[in-house]
Amino acid sequence: MATPISIVLILTISWLLVSTLDVYARKQASSDVAEEATSFLHDICGGREKVMKLQLYVQDLRIGHPNATVVEVAKAAGVTDNSPYQFGSVHVLDDLVTEGPSINSRKLGRIQGLTTNADLSTFGIAMNLNFFFTEGWYAGSTLSILGRNQVMDSQRELPVVGGTGVFRYARGYAIQTSYSFDPATNYAVLEYNIYTTYNARFNEDVEIARM
């Protein structure tokens, strides 16, 4: 007959064995998921997923400018007008995107979306933006940016969360800075340095389709 000590020892060894097998199974499952995701991206991008930097300028014609491309579409009754940070104010924008800081430089597309003053204690803007490219080899593609913009900071980091065309399955980040601002006309130029993945195969497929 097994002694109590032997029974305890057997149970302990069994528990350790089961725990080890469980940890191994979890690691294997995690590895399988990661391998499947990598394989999926490889199939979609043909193994041609790369990283690029985009430097763009946004011509931001704000409320008060005679040709404003930013307009307020909503605000919180009894709150926004009494808030030093315009809490609850919602704006829609359709700004020109250019290659250089001058409004007369090469046009690359538009940036369209919504911004919401979403912070009670500072100018914190919730951003929902889409770059729509009309020129260059990425014409017809979009790049989506979503996140919080701490407006008073000299540099604002925003996540790149996706896109279409060349930027299908894109991920990365964007650094937004204020290049210039004319308070007399409410005309600002914003500089974006965007670091994002892109599908190098996409342009090749488009060229082949055109042949």
Side-chain angles (χ1 to χ4, degrees):
M1 179 180 295
T3 65
I5 295 178
S6 299
I7 294 174
V8 170
L9 183 60
I10 292 171
L11 290 175
T12 301
I13 293 173
S14 299
W15 179 81
L16 288 173
L17 180 60
V18 170
S19 298
T20 301
L21 291 174
D22 182 61
V23 169
Y24 174 79
R26 288 175 182 270
K27 287 185 176 179
Q28 187 63 39
S30 177
S31 176
D32 291 343
V33 170
E35 182 177 346
E36 183 178 344
T38 301
S39 176
F40 174 72
L41 281 174
H42 185 281
D43 292 340
I44 291 296
C45 300
R48 299 293 303 282
E49 187 184 44
K50 296 184 178 181
V51 177
M52 72 185 302
K53 176 188 175 182
L54 288 169
Q55 186 177 43
L56 311 168
Y57 294 86
V58 173
Q59 310 296 326
D60 197 41
L61 309 181
R62 301 179 179 177
I63 298 171
H65 191 281
N67 299 311
T69 54
V70 180
V71 297
E72 184 180 66
V73 294
K75 61 182 180 179
V79 176
T80 300
D81 290 340
N82 297 318
S83 167
Y85 307 107
Q86 298 180 317
F87 180 73
S89 178
V90 180
H91 297 79
V92 62
L93 60 92
D94 182 10
D95 288 345
L96 175 67
V97 178
T98 56
E99 188 174 53
S102 170
I103 197 169
N104 296 316
S105 62
R106 183 188 179 200
K107 297 174 175 57
L108 297 179
R110 312 289 297 188
I111 182 171
Q112 302 163 334
L114 292 170
T115 64
T116 305
N117 291 49
D119 196 311
L120 284 166
S121 57
T122 187
F123 281 113
I125 311 297
M127 314 285 283
N128 180 355
L129 303 175
N130 294 289
F131 282 92
F132 171 53
F133 297 100
T134 56
E135 301 293 333
W137 64 273
Y138 36 65
S141 301
T142 64
L143 193 63
S144 299
I145 290 178
L146 181 71
R148 182 179 186 277
N149 188 338
Q150 181 78 28
V151 179
M152 302 307 292
D153 290 351
S154 58
Q155 293 187 337
R156 288 82 71 182
E157 182 176 344
L158 297 163
V160 173
V161 298
T164 63
V166 171
F167 301 109
R168 199 173 293 161
Y169 298 103
R171 59 197 183 280
Y173 69 97
I175 300 297
Q176 182 201 77
T177 58
S178 298
Y179 182 86
S180 64
F181 176 59
D182 181 2
T185 60
N186 278 343
Y187 170 32
V189 177
L190 303 174
E191 179 180 340
Y192 278 83
N193 285 284
I194 304 172
Y195 302 83
T196 180
T197 57
Y198 72 100
N199 181 359
R201 179 183 177 183
F202 180 83
N203 195 51
E204 297 172 4
D205 292 342
V206 170
E207 291 301 320
I208 291 173
R210 288 173 177 169
M211 296 175 62

